[in-house]
Amino acid sequence: MSLRQTLSQQTAAARAGFSASTGSRLDADPDLPSQKSRPRGRRRPDPLATIWEAEIVPMLTAMPALRPVTLFDEMRRRHPALSEGVRRTLERRIRAWQAMHGPERDVIFRQDHPPGAQGLSDFTDAKDLGVTIAGQPLAHRLYHFRLAFSGWAHVEVVLGGESFVALAGGLQNALWGLGGAPAEHRSDSLSAAFRNMNPLTAADLTARYEALCMHYGMRPTRNNRGVAHENGSIEGPHAHLKAALAQALLLRGSAAFTALDDYRRFVDEIVGRQNAAHRKAAELEQATLNPLPPMRTADFEQTLVTVTSSSAFVLGRVFYTVPSRLIGHRLRVRLYDERLECFLGGSLVLTLRRGRISPERGNRGHVIDYRHIIHSLRRKPGALLNLVYRDQLFPRTAYRRAWDRLIEAGPPRTACRVMVALLSLAHEHSCEAELATALDAILDAGELPDPAVLQRRFAPATVAVPEVVVTLPPLDSYDTLYAA
C-alpha cells in the first residue's frame, strides 16, 4: 500500500511480490485478511471437493505410505475428467493432511561424540567413478573408516564384496596408521554380510568380529539393519568422499590408470588431503585413543584344499591352477581380499590372485596361469581345442586374437600345435609382452604367426659370447702396495 501511493497498481504489486490480481483486490478492499471477521472464501471451485473426503482421505488413513503421485494416478483412472493440472493441488492438500493427521515420523537425534569414543566402518560402491585399470572397468568398493569426533579417515580399495576379510584388513590398517584404537567400533558391514547366510555361519562371523574388536580393546556395535541414519557419522561422509574423488578425477583429466597400485596411491592422496584439514582435531583425539596391542591379528580366512589331477583346485566356485608338482597334495590356503597364499605344511609355496565369480560364466570364475600347465600341454597340444578354461588360458588379448585367426585359417590340429608353441615360447624365454606386440603386428597385417620365425627372433639358437681377456697383475705388486 505504501508503494501504491507513488506507483501504478501493476508496478506496486510486482515490487511487493504480489500478482496483479492480488494488487487489484487490495485496491478494492485494503483491509488485511487477519482484520476481517470472516476468512476469504475460495475464488474458484474446489476440484477435489467430490473425491477428497469420500475417496482420498480413507485411502490415506488406511495406507499412509501411499505417495501423492500414486493417488493422483488412481483418481485419474477412476475419474477420467479430472484435470492434469490438479496434481499440484492434490500434493499440497496431502502434505497439509499428513501434517495434521498423518503418522508419527522418525526423529533424528543429533549426537555429540567425545574424542576417542567411537570409530565407524562401512563400505560404499564406487562403480559410478568410472575408474578403469589398463583399459578394463574396475568393479570395486571403498572400505571407509572414520573417527566420529575428528573426522580422520582411512580408505582402501576393495575388489570383492563386504566380507569379513576386507573389514578385518581395512580396520587393522586404519588403526595401525592412526596409532591407537577408539573405545567403540560401529559397523553395519557384517549385517550386510549376514544376508543369505545360515545361522551357524552368521554366528561364526559374529564371533570372529567380536574377537577382532576384543584384540584391540574396542566394544563392537552394529546399527539396526536397514536404518542407515544410525551410522550417519559415516553414511554422510561417503557422499563427500566420492564427490571429492570424482572432482579429483576431473582435474586429473582421466579416470584411466595403468595399474591398480596407481589408483590406490591416488585415493590415498585425496584422503590424505582431507585428513590434513582435520589435523588439529585428529591430534587431540589421538591422545585419547587406547594403545595398540603388540601385534596384529589375523585378517584372512583359512581353508584346506586338495590339488586335483588337473593341476588345480576349486575354492569358492573359482578354479585356480597351480604347478603340477603339487598334484595330490593338500594345501592350506589363506584368503585375503586380493590374493591367496598357499602353504604346504609351514612353507609358503605360491601366491595367487584372488578370483571373482562372474554371472556371464554361470557364477563361476577362473584364475589360470598358462605357465603351470604349458609343459604338459606341449606333449598333448590337441587338448587345447576343447579345454574348459581355454579362453582364460591366454595371458593377453593378442594371444586370443591369434587363436581365433588360427582356428579360422586352418585345421584345429594345426591351430592347437601353433598356439601351444607360441605359449611355450613366451614362457621359456620370458618374452610374453614382446611376443604379444609382435603377434598384434602380424595379425594386423593379415598374416598368420609362424612359430619358427618367431623362435629365431626371440630365441636365437646361437648367442655370441664376448671374449673377455683378464690380465693378472704380478704378485710382487701386492708387496709394494702393502709396504706403502
Side-chain angles (χ1 to χ4, degrees):
M1 298 303 295
S2 299
L3 294 170
R4 185 67 181 88
Q5 296 176 6
T6 57
L7 300 174
S8 67
Q9 182 186 89
Q10 187 172 5
T11 304
R15 291 186 62 177
F18 294 149
S19 66
S21 60
T22 301
S24 176
R25 179 176 57 79
L26 291 175
D27 272 352
D29 184 6
D31 291 336
L32 297 176
S34 60
Q35 297 172 342
K36 298 178 181 179
S37 58
R38 291 186 308 170
R40 179 175 65 88
R42 295 187 61 90
R43 296 166 55 199
R44 299 174 182 174
D46 184 2
L48 303 175
T50 59
I51 61 175
W52 175 255
E53 293 292 344
E55 300 183 46
I56 297 177
V57 170
M59 294 176 69
L60 284 173
T61 304
M63 297 168 285
L66 282 175
R67 298 175 59 193
V69 65
T70 305
L71 284 169
F72 179 71
D73 291 340
E74 177 64 15
M75 292 301 104
R76 287 289 303 275
R77 187 185 66 81
R78 296 184 184 182
H79 308 280
L82 194 64
S83 171
E84 176 69 29
V86 179
R87 174 176 171 176
R88 292 293 297 159
T89 302
L90 177 64
E91 290 175 346
R92 288 192 296 267
R93 190 79 58 86
I94 291 176
R95 182 175 176 83
W97 182 90
Q98 289 173 337
M100 297 293 294
H101 309 287
E104 298 293 338
R105 302 178 63 180
D106 287 340
V107 179
I108 303 299
F109 298 99
R110 306 298 175 187
Q111 301 292 300
D112 183 18
H113 299 284
Q118 188 182 68
L120 303 98
S121 291
D122 199 7
F123 295 84
T124 181
D125 196 336
K127 63 181 179 182
D128 292 339
L129 295 176
V131 175
T132 62
I133 304 296
Q136 298 299 318
L138 180 65
H140 68 294
R141 289 176 171 83
L142 297 175
Y143 166 78
H144 192 184
F145 173 86
R146 189 173 185 269
L147 291 177
F149 171 77
S150 64
W152 184 92
H154 174 80
V155 178
E156 289 191 6
V157 177
V158 176
L159 301 183
E162 300 182 11
S163 63
F164 174 78
V165 170
L167 174 68
L171 176 58
Q172 294 193 85
N173 291 338
L175 296 180
W176 285 90
L178 184 60
E184 175 191 345
H185 178 255
R186 167 160 289 209
S187 172
D188 70 345
S189 60
L190 292 182
S191 297
F194 286 156
R195 199 173 302 139
N196 300 326
M197 284 188 174
N198 60 59
L200 292 178
T201 304
D204 176 64
L205 193 57
T206 301
R208 293 168 61 193
Y209 171 59
E210 292 177 349
L212 172 65
C213 292
M214 186 182 300
H215 182 76
Y216 288 94
M218 298 184 297
R219 184 174 68 259
T221 61
R222 290 201 306 269
N223 67 300
N224 294 311
R225 184 180 300 179
V227 188
H229 66 74
E230 291 186 357
N231 259 12
S233 295
I234 197 167
E235 290 287 350
H238 277 339
H240 298 306
L241 169 66
K242 290 193 283 190
L245 291 173
Q247 291 294 303
L249 288 171
L250 288 176
L251 289 176
R252 184 176 179 267
S254 172
F257 295 85
T258 56
L260 182 59
D261 288 341
D262 296 337
Y263 175 51
R264 285 202 165 97
R265 283 190 291 270
F266 171 80
V267 173
D268 290 342
E269 181 181 352
I270 301 306
V271 176
R273 293 177 190 172
Q274 293 184 336
N275 286 337
H278 304 287
R279 180 176 57 84
K280 291 185 178 180
E283 290 175 352
L284 174 63
E285 187 162 25
Q286 279 180 320
T288 66
L289 297 175
N290 297 327
L292 295 174
M295 63 183 66
R296 294 168 60 115
T297 187
D299 55 358
F300 55 83
E301 295 178 353
Q302 187 166 273
T303 187
L304 292 173
V305 298
T306 300
V307 181
T308 67
S309 57
S310 298
S311 190
F313 62 85
V314 177
L315 183 59
R317 290 183 292 176
V318 179
F319 183 89
Y320 297 89
T321 61
V322 298
S324 59
R325 59 180 177 274
L326 297 175
I327 290 176
H329 289 278
R330 286 173 63 84
L331 302 179
R332 183 164 47 88
V333 180
R334 293 179 178 178
L335 289 86
Y336 296 87
D337 179 62
E338 300 176 354
R339 68 188 190 280
L340 272 62
E341 292 183 353
C342 303
F343 291 81
L344 183 60
S347 302
L348 176 65
V349 291
L350 78 157
T351 300
L352 301 172
R353 172 180 60 86
R354 182 164 183 174
R356 308 292 176 186
I357 61 176
S358 172
E360 292 80 9
R361 305 191 191 107
N363 283 331
R364 297 188 177 276
H366 295 84
V367 177
I368 309 299
D369 189 340
Y370 70 99
R371 300 174 185 85
H372 294 156
I373 60 171
I374 189 61
H375 64 286
S376 295
L377 206 54
R378 288 186 62 183
R379 294 193 294 269
K380 295 178 284 187
L384 181 64
L385 181 62
N386 296 313
L387 191 62
V388 293
Y389 52 80
R390 183 193 63 218
D391 293 338
Q392 291 76 39
L393 179 69
F394 304 127
R396 296 172 186 263
T397 305
Y399 294 88
R400 185 175 291 106
R401 288 183 61 199
W403 168 255
D404 294 338
R405 290 286 297 276
L406 288 168
I407 284 292
E408 293 174 359
R413 186 185 185 92
T414 302
C416 291
R417 187 172 61 253
V418 172
M419 197 67 235
V420 169
L422 294 175
L423 292 173
S424 179
L425 175 63
H427 169 53
E428 293 178 357
H429 298 279
S430 302
C431 58
E432 178 185 303
E434 295 83 355
L435 180 56
T437 303
L439 289 174
D440 277 330
I442 293 171
L443 297 173
D444 291 341
E447 301 176 359
L448 293 177
D450 186 343
V453 174
L454 293 171
Q455 176 79 20
R456 290 191 296 269
R457 176 177 172 181
F458 291 100
T462 59
V463 178
V465 178
E467 182 179 354
V468 179
V469 178
V470 179
T471 303
L472 298 177
L475 295 179
D476 56 3
S477 61
Y478 291 96
D479 295 334
T480 304
L481 180 63
Y482 178 74

